[in-house]
Amino acid sequence: MERLDNSRWKMSMAGFTAFVLASIFFFITGPNIAGILGFLISAIVLFILNVGYVFYTNKKSGKKNQI
């Protein structure tokens, strides 16, 4: 597996890390369901955009089996 610095999935990992940290923060300070759902939706959107980016770069470079 590639190093984390060179990973093409870095944007998705950052989105889900932000979601987990925000969820912990919101549960400690007081349950804020709207805030937690907002971070979850943003993490999902970042993941979808990142999947599109990875497939686009694979198609553009001609690499069929590397994800």
Side-chain angles (χ1 to χ4, degrees):
M1 188 168 178
E2 293 181 6
R3 285 183 42 105
L4 185 60
D5 297 339
N6 297 330
S7 176
R8 294 183 295 174
W9 295 101
K10 190 186 304 186
M11 187 168 53
S12 293
M13 290 185 285
F16 283 107
T17 302
F19 164 67
V20 169
L21 293 176
S23 297
I24 292 170
F25 174 74
F26 283 132
F27 281 130
I28 290 173
T29 60
N32 184 357
I33 300 301
I36 294 170
L37 288 177
F39 274 97
L40 176 62
I41 291 171
S42 65
I44 291 171
V45 168
L46 280 175
F47 177 74
I48 291 170
L49 290 174
N50 203 22
V51 166
Y53 166 74
V54 169
F55 285 142
Y56 174 74
T57 56
N58 279 348
K59 183 178 178 183
K60 187 176 178 182
S61 67
K63 296 178 183 176
K64 304 273 188 214
N65 296 329
Q66 181 184 10
I67 292 182

